Amino acid sequence: MYSILPAFVSALFLGFGVYVLLTEGVSRLSLPFAAMCATTFVWQGTWAFLFQISDPNLAGALVKFGYLFILFLPTTFYHFVIEVTTRRSERPLLFASYGLSIVLAMVLVVSNEVVSGYGNFFFGKYPHAGLLHPVHVAQTVLLALRSAWLLLAARRQTHAHDRRKLLDLCLLSLCLYGLAASDYAVNYGVAFYPVGAVFIAVSLGILAVTIVRYGLMRPYLLAATVAHEVATPLAAIGMHAEEIGNVLPELMRGYQLAVQHQLCVDGLYPGQSERLSSLASSIQRQVDSTSTVVEMSLASFTLDRLDRRSFEAYSMRSCVNAALERFPFRSGERELVNVLPIDPQLKFSGSDSLIVFVLFNLLKNALFALHSSGGGSVEIAAASEGGYCVLRFSDNGPGISPDVLPHIFEPFYSTKSHGKGAGMGLAFCRRVADALGGAIACESEAGVATTFTLHLPEPGSAADRAHHDAAGKPRRWTAGQDYTG
């Protein structure tokens, strides 16, 4: 009777592993999960036999065989958490943990130092702890705590609702997994039926559903697919537009000569010939704008996976110049933007492409505000202040009303009419600032001016070092507060 539960759990975990592999395929995430399922499947299947046999020699062999897989279970869970939180810097500790598990497994096979035989209980036989068994228990506790720390740190660093729910489910799974450690008491002679398998079954069941429900790897695959599928035809359209722009003036001159010599009838509407001359540049501008949206969307998906160790020093002036060169200005808009002199030695630590995207969003919003108010200008300035590269982006448009200002960085919050904006631009700016260890804030006086202030750590500054070493919540600064880093 007591063998029914481990036998059921064993079969259940075989189903979990197969379900995830068939649904998600082989990936960095599905492999450690499949390893967890495989170790639990063999371990619980072994216990199902152990609980009902009477042969002492076979029991001794089953005890060691089953515990051989238990030794690797905490490390496979930790491996899974590393992939969920995309903390590649944890790899050395992961390899060390696998190494320790291998050493304990070898000791288990050749001696009784890890598991010293078995004890007889009312439900059947169960492994008895050896002298080195506390090493495995300590390893389990440390890995569980480390996994919880990684999940909590990742949760603090993300603002995406779905990802927060995903991490919450992983934390719940980890808590249930921790309750399964109560079975270790039976290894030390406490007589109760080991129900830890139930907690582990529920724990990994939650993870299986989470992997499939939230498609942990799918957003990145989808983003890459969309970027590839959209970027290719956009590039082709851009080349065609360039070719049209090159030949259209000659074609129009030939057409006008033909009309003048009455070789054909002018079939164009009034003003249509003038619009045709700007057609190619309009198409190219739309292509550039759409390409930027695609690139920014892809960057948004990868913000949570940024490796701080890859950050380099970039010139703020170069980023501002690049943004102004690439931004798809409409006629007359570039003249509205005034850039104050920026020291070429002024640098920040992070990603230049992300800052260019931030500038794109600020430019788009400022120009939209100026057009809606019927005039105005934009001013961009940057300076070094207290270890931070500080960019100030101002416009003297209509300003932002006090009731709207507290919400402008919230995802999907927009005061623009339908089709004019999705409310993700400023939310993206804040995510970038947080990811780079800085902050962005806005001050505005309705009818006077609006200023966005972006703080980014300078290379080698205390803020930069703190950001590289920090594992907690990214620092944030809002209008009215002193930014201390």
Side-chain angles (χ1 to χ4, degrees), residues 18 45 143 167 193 214 217 244 249 258 283 292 296 309 370 372-373 381 383 386 404 419 447:
V18 172
L143 291 180
L167 294 170
Y193 184 71
Y214 289 96
M217 298 303 289
I244 291 174
I283 295 174
T292 300
M296 192 178 73
R309 295 171 302 176
L370 296 184
S372 65
S373 64
V404 171

Short mmCIF file of all heavy atoms in Angstrom, two decimals, residues 18 45 143 167 193 214 217 244 249 258 283 292 296 309 370 372-373 381 383 386 404 419 447:
data_model
loop_
_atom_site.label_atom_id
_atom_site.label_comp_id
_atom_site.label_asym_id
_atom_site.label_seq_id
_atom_site.Cartn_x
_atom_site.Cartn_y
_atom_site.Cartn_z
N VAL A 18 8.16 14.56 -20.35
CA VAL A 18 7.79 14.34 -21.75
C VAL A 18 6.90 15.48 -22.26
O VAL A 18 7.07 15.98 -23.38
CB VAL A 18 7.08 12.98 -21.91
CG1 VAL A 18 6.52 12.82 -23.32
CG2 VAL A 18 8.03 11.83 -21.60
N GLY A 45 10.57 5.84 -8.40
CA GLY A 45 10.34 4.48 -8.87
C GLY A 45 11.13 3.46 -8.05
O GLY A 45 10.63 2.36 -7.74
N LEU A 143 21.60 25.89 -1.96
CA LEU A 143 21.09 26.07 -3.32
C LEU A 143 19.66 26.59 -3.32
O LEU A 143 19.28 27.40 -4.17
CB LEU A 143 21.17 24.75 -4.09
CG LEU A 143 22.58 24.25 -4.42
CD1 LEU A 143 22.51 22.94 -5.18
CD2 LEU A 143 23.34 25.29 -5.25
N LEU A 167 7.69 34.64 -12.30
CA LEU A 167 8.66 34.52 -11.21
C LEU A 167 7.96 34.19 -9.90
O LEU A 167 8.51 33.46 -9.06
CB LEU A 167 9.46 35.81 -11.09
CG LEU A 167 10.38 36.11 -12.28
CD1 LEU A 167 10.95 37.52 -12.18
CD2 LEU A 167 11.52 35.10 -12.36
N TYR A 193 5.91 8.63 7.63
CA TYR A 193 5.88 8.32 6.20
C TYR A 193 6.38 9.53 5.42
O TYR A 193 5.84 10.63 5.56
CB TYR A 193 4.46 7.96 5.77
CG TYR A 193 4.36 7.52 4.32
CD1 TYR A 193 4.87 6.29 3.91
CD2 TYR A 193 3.75 8.34 3.37
CE1 TYR A 193 4.79 5.90 2.58
CE2 TYR A 193 3.66 7.95 2.05
CZ TYR A 193 4.18 6.73 1.66
OH TYR A 193 4.09 6.33 0.35
N TYR A 214 3.50 30.23 -19.86
CA TYR A 214 4.15 31.51 -20.10
C TYR A 214 5.22 31.44 -21.17
O TYR A 214 5.81 32.47 -21.51
CB TYR A 214 4.73 32.06 -18.80
CG TYR A 214 3.67 32.53 -17.85
CD1 TYR A 214 3.20 31.71 -16.85
CD2 TYR A 214 3.10 33.79 -17.99
CE1 TYR A 214 2.20 32.13 -15.98
CE2 TYR A 214 2.11 34.22 -17.14
CZ TYR A 214 1.66 33.39 -16.13
OH TYR A 214 0.67 33.81 -15.29
N MET A 217 10.82 30.64 -22.95
CA MET A 217 11.79 30.98 -23.99
C MET A 217 11.12 31.58 -25.22
O MET A 217 11.78 32.09 -26.11
CB MET A 217 12.57 29.72 -24.42
CG MET A 217 13.38 29.08 -23.30
SD MET A 217 14.56 30.19 -22.56
CE MET A 217 15.74 30.33 -23.89
N ILE A 244 13.58 54.22 -56.80
CA ILE A 244 12.55 55.10 -57.33
C ILE A 244 13.00 56.55 -57.22
O ILE A 244 12.81 57.36 -58.15
CB ILE A 244 11.22 54.89 -56.58
CG1 ILE A 244 10.64 53.51 -56.92
CG2 ILE A 244 10.22 55.99 -56.92
CD1 ILE A 244 9.40 53.16 -56.11
N PRO A 249 13.02 61.63 -60.81
CA PRO A 249 13.19 62.97 -61.40
C PRO A 249 13.35 62.94 -62.91
O PRO A 249 12.78 63.79 -63.63
CB PRO A 249 14.45 63.49 -60.70
CG PRO A 249 14.50 62.76 -59.40
CD PRO A 249 13.99 61.40 -59.71
N ALA A 258 7.05 65.47 -72.66
CA ALA A 258 6.06 64.83 -73.53
C ALA A 258 4.75 65.58 -73.51
O ALA A 258 4.08 65.76 -74.56
CB ALA A 258 5.85 63.38 -73.08
N ILE A 283 8.52 57.21 -48.41
CA ILE A 283 8.57 55.75 -48.20
C ILE A 283 9.78 55.38 -47.37
O ILE A 283 9.70 54.57 -46.43
CB ILE A 283 8.60 55.02 -49.56
CG1 ILE A 283 7.28 55.24 -50.31
CG2 ILE A 283 8.85 53.52 -49.34
CD1 ILE A 283 7.28 54.66 -51.72
N THR A 292 13.05 51.02 -36.91
CA THR A 292 13.40 51.43 -35.55
C THR A 292 12.46 50.80 -34.53
O THR A 292 12.89 50.34 -33.46
CB THR A 292 13.34 52.97 -35.42
OG1 THR A 292 14.27 53.53 -36.34
CG2 THR A 292 13.67 53.41 -34.01
N MET A 296 13.60 48.34 -31.59
CA MET A 296 13.31 48.69 -30.22
C MET A 296 12.50 47.59 -29.53
O MET A 296 12.71 47.29 -28.36
CB MET A 296 12.56 50.01 -30.15
CG MET A 296 12.48 50.59 -28.75
SD MET A 296 11.63 52.18 -28.71
CE MET A 296 9.94 51.66 -28.95
N ARG A 309 28.30 42.80 -17.31
CA ARG A 309 29.73 42.71 -17.57
C ARG A 309 30.08 43.10 -19.01
O ARG A 309 31.24 43.38 -19.32
CB ARG A 309 30.22 41.28 -17.29
CG ARG A 309 30.10 40.87 -15.82
CD ARG A 309 30.40 39.39 -15.65
NE ARG A 309 29.49 38.58 -16.45
CZ ARG A 309 29.58 37.26 -16.55
NH1 ARG A 309 30.54 36.60 -15.93
NH2 ARG A 309 28.72 36.59 -17.29
N LEU A 370 4.93 69.51 -29.80
CA LEU A 370 5.10 70.79 -30.49
C LEU A 370 4.07 70.97 -31.60
O LEU A 370 3.52 72.06 -31.79
CB LEU A 370 6.52 70.89 -31.06
CG LEU A 370 7.67 70.91 -30.05
CD1 LEU A 370 9.01 71.11 -30.77
CD2 LEU A 370 7.47 71.99 -29.01
N SER A 372 1.13 69.60 -31.75
CA SER A 372 -0.21 69.76 -31.18
C SER A 372 -0.42 71.16 -30.64
O SER A 372 -1.56 71.64 -30.58
CB SER A 372 -0.44 68.73 -30.06
OG SER A 372 0.45 68.96 -28.98
N SER A 373 0.69 71.84 -30.22
CA SER A 373 0.56 73.19 -29.68
C SER A 373 0.77 74.26 -30.75
O SER A 373 0.55 75.45 -30.50
CB SER A 373 1.57 73.40 -28.55
OG SER A 373 2.90 73.32 -29.05
N ALA A 381 20.77 68.82 -23.84
CA ALA A 381 22.02 69.17 -23.17
C ALA A 381 22.49 68.00 -22.33
O ALA A 381 21.69 67.15 -21.92
CB ALA A 381 21.83 70.41 -22.29
N ALA A 383 25.74 66.82 -19.28
CA ALA A 383 26.88 67.23 -18.45
C ALA A 383 27.18 66.14 -17.45
O ALA A 383 26.39 65.20 -17.25
CB ALA A 383 26.56 68.54 -17.74
N GLY A 386 28.26 64.52 -10.33
CA GLY A 386 28.35 63.56 -9.23
C GLY A 386 28.53 62.12 -9.63
O GLY A 386 27.93 61.22 -9.04
N VAL A 404 -1.63 63.99 -14.99
CA VAL A 404 -1.10 63.01 -15.94
C VAL A 404 0.35 62.66 -15.61
O VAL A 404 0.77 61.51 -15.77
CB VAL A 404 -1.19 63.55 -17.39
CG1 VAL A 404 -0.44 62.65 -18.37
CG2 VAL A 404 -2.65 63.67 -17.80
N GLY A 419 -4.33 55.03 -32.15
CA GLY A 419 -3.51 54.94 -33.35
C GLY A 419 -2.32 55.87 -33.35
O GLY A 419 -1.43 55.75 -34.19
N GLY A 447 1.81 74.38 -20.11
CA GLY A 447 1.85 75.60 -20.88
C GLY A 447 3.19 76.29 -20.90
O GLY A 447 3.33 77.34 -21.54
#
